[in-house]
Amino acid sequence: MIKVFTGLNQILTLSEAQRKDGRNLLPEDLSLVTQGSVVFDENSILWVGEQKSIPLEYQSAKTFDLSGHVLTPEIVDSHTHLVFGGDRAQEYADRLNGKSYEEIAKRGGGILLTMNQTNSASLEILFNEACSRIERIHSYGIGTIEIKSGYGLNFDKEFQISLLIDRLKKQFAPRIQILNTFLAAHDVPKSFGTSAQYLSQVVLPLLEKLAPLKIIDAVDIFHEKNYFTENDVKMLFEKAQSLKIACKSHADELNDNDGATLASSYYALSADHLLKISDSGIKNLSESSTVATLLPGTAFFLGKPLAPARKMLDARVKVAIASDYNPGSCHCDNLLLIASISAAQLKINQAELWCGITLNAAHALGLKNQGAIVVGMKPRFSLFKTESLSHITYNWGRNFSVSLP
Ligand code: NIG
Ligand code: FE
């Protein structure tokens, strides 16, 4: 059925940003339409422009008056770890009282504590808690959500969590689009001597078992000192490529280990975090299609300096912003809040901000057919009841999102 949204105060089309592949954006690349209309069917956007110019053929289609609203391409959270048991409130308190994330992890806290809590929770509890988290995220206007496995850290539980994410995907489609990322290489349980042993005994065989089910959208790995090595990354990415599964990595977060360069050499969809990225890492990303996904909520919550966003953007790197929502390093599920707070710190302009949570975030998930309100793209939108695009992030922490009619 053809639908028409009309009377919109503003439509953020990002048509110019799309033409420029999400790079080198100027403020005017928001490509805003005021008093706008958009025409679409189930599969694609058919027309977008000023309300007064709607083609005659669409004037009798089902029309929704959305005056007083702003329409944007659907907001995408391209990096979350929202399937977990328990919480790490005590570690948060310990961090405020002077312990670092790394110290806490070394004494058995961190990801391994959540692993224990996740393994003690039933699959039904994990599923139900994930459902409420997804609904809450969606209530902010976020419609595509990537979810990583990675708190089971044994063959059976990781297998079940990947299936659980697939169940979530089916339960919420098409209203909320979920992407399933395999992150069994998130940490190394203490029962394994080395990361290489855990990788060869659990991660790689499990990926082989999951691949024929066709439920995994990408693999990911925590490429970091005391977690997984360069060689581990190569082993995982080569296996993923042989199975035709896309790659992503947690790179250059706590230390620079040329993680961004390694990820881009495997045509990874994204390299995420990048607090410590080197100049050569930036150069390699800029020459690749790998998206630099910034997770400013994490740096902010851990009290660390943010990633060098301006330097990356000026080098023509394609930059996205995501929440990293997880129980430890960023216990915040609201990407719009994170983007609002961090924009000035990251020194990004408004087009870079919005493109980072829509078009480029979609690219970080390999989704090339959404993220701009342009003819032919998928009709995935976010709708806000407020005066203008600026009002959405200017009122940081306030929620203007409303359901699409
Ligand atoms: O992206 N770095 C690895 N994973 C998460 C942290 C997960 C946790 O602390 O539980 C991250 O920050
Ligand atoms: Fe993460």
Side-chain angles (χ1 to χ4, degrees), residues 82-84 86 129-138 325:
L82 66 76
V83 179
F84 60 85
E129 288 188 341
C131 287
S132 355
R133 288 171 190 148
I134 290 165
E135 286 293 0
R136 207 170 54 228
I137 290 172
H138 186 249
Y325 174 40

Side-chain angles (χ1 to χ4, degrees), residues 201-273:
Q201 289 169 33
V202 174
V203 179
L204 301 180
L206 179 53
L207 184 58
E208 272 185 9
K209 178 169 169 170
L210 282 164
L213 307 182
K214 303 258 181 263
I215 61 170
I216 301 298
D217 297 304
V219 304
D220 194 348
I221 183 164
F222 193 13
H223 179 196
E224 183 62 57
K225 193 166 147 212
N226 300 325
Y227 293 84
F228 293 91
T229 64
E230 179 183 332
N231 203 42
D232 299 332
V233 178
K234 289 182 177 165
M235 301 272 288
L236 176 67
F237 283 4
E238 270 154 38
K239 172 66 74 188
Q241 288 188 337
S242 75
L243 299 166
K244 305 220 172 342
I245 300 176
C247 303
K248 298 167 83 70
S249 81
H250 284 65
D252 301 329
E253 179 188 4
L254 308 172
N255 300 281
D256 166 35
N257 50 15
D258 277 330
T261 298
L262 184 61
S264 66
S265 75
Y266 281 89
Y267 307 98
L269 292 176
S270 70
D272 302 29
H273 281 295

Side-chain angles (χ1 to χ4, degrees), residues 387-400:
E387 282 159 61
S388 74
L389 186 75
S390 302
H391 281 82
I392 301 171
T393 48
Y394 160 63
N395 290 283
W396 50 293
R398 203 161 134 198
N399 186 6
F400 294 110

Side-chain angles (χ1 to χ4, degrees), residues 41-326:
D41 63 14
E42 294 75 19
N43 303 314
S44 55
I45 295 169
L46 303 172
W47 185 86
V48 56
E50 287 180 24
Q51 181 181 346
K52 59 177 196 274
S53 326
I54 296 191
L56 218 54
E57 56 186 302
Y58 299 129
Q59 286 177 6
S60 55
K62 188 149 179 56
T63 299
F64 299 85
D65 176 14
L66 293 176
S67 47
H69 292 76
V70 174
L71 191 74
T72 72
E74 184 181 71
I75 298 177
V76 173
D77 193 343
S78 65
H79 184 140
T80 82
H81 305 251
L82 66 76
V83 179
F84 60 85
D87 69 58
R88 307 231 294 275
Q90 183 55 48
E91 287 184 6
Y92 161 72
D94 293 345
R95 284 207 309 276
L96 289 187
N97 296 336
K99 297 253 174 339
S100 72
Y101 182 81
E102 292 91 321
E103 280 165 346
I104 292 169
K106 265 199 195 119
R107 54 146 224 245
I111 297 169
L112 294 181
L113 178 63
T114 301
M115 172 192 81
N116 291 334
Q117 294 173 326
T118 303
N119 281 315
S120 335
S122 72
L123 286 170
E124 254 350 86
I125 289 192
L126 291 174
F127 183 80
N128 292 337
E129 288 188 341
C131 287
S132 355
R133 288 171 190 148
I134 290 165
E135 286 293 0
R136 207 170 54 228
I137 290 172
H138 186 249
S139 76
Y140 310 132
I142 298 159
T144 292
I145 307 171
E146 183 255 21
I147 306 178
K148 300 177 195 295
S149 62
Y151 288 117
L153 303 182
N154 65 61
F155 194 94
D156 291 340
K157 195 68 170 215
E158 282 297 327
F159 179 65
Q160 289 160 349
I161 291 176
S162 289
L163 295 184
L164 186 151
I165 298 173
D166 188 56
R167 213 177 125 199
L168 293 167
K169 182 192 272 199
K170 291 177 175 135
Q171 162 118 352
F172 285 98
R175 184 171 61 101
I176 305 173
Q177 175 175 232
I178 289 173
L179 281 285
N180 190 343
T181 298
F182 173 81
L183 179 62
H186 194 192
D187 201 348
V188 183
K190 294 270 181 273
S191 48
F192 290 85
T194 63
S195 58
Q197 279 170 11
Y198 171 65
L199 201 82
S200 63
Q201 289 169 33
V202 174
V203 179
L204 301 180
L206 179 53
L207 184 58
E208 272 185 9
K209 178 169 169 170
L210 282 164
L213 307 182
K214 303 258 181 263
I215 61 170
I216 301 298
D217 297 304
V219 304
D220 194 348
I221 183 164
F222 193 13
H223 179 196
E224 183 62 57
K225 193 166 147 212
N226 300 325
Y227 293 84
F228 293 91
T229 64
E230 179 183 332
N231 203 42
D232 299 332
V233 178
K234 289 182 177 165
M235 301 272 288
L236 176 67
F237 283 4
E238 270 154 38
K239 172 66 74 188
Q241 288 188 337
S242 75
L243 299 166
K244 305 220 172 342
I245 300 176
C247 303
K248 298 167 83 70
S249 81
H250 284 65
D252 301 329
E253 179 188 4
L254 308 172
N255 300 281
D256 166 35
N257 50 15
D258 277 330
T261 298
L262 184 61
S264 66
S265 75
Y266 281 89
Y267 307 98
L269 292 176
S270 70
D272 302 29
H273 281 295
L274 308 174
L275 301 186
K276 297 287 177 71
I277 189 170
S278 62
D279 288 351
S280 61
I282 293 179
K283 183 163 185 298
N284 287 317
L285 281 186
S286 73
E287 289 163 0
S288 79
S289 60
T290 300
V291 175
T293 299
L294 312 184
L295 309 167
T298 308
F300 183 73
F301 200 53
L302 296 179
K304 297 185 186 241
L306 304 194
R310 193 65 261 155
K311 217 167 155 182
M312 291 188 229
L313 289 159
D314 289 342
R316 287 195 90 251
V317 173
K318 202 194 285 204
V319 171
I321 304 172
S323 73
D324 197 21
Y325 174 40
N326 74 72

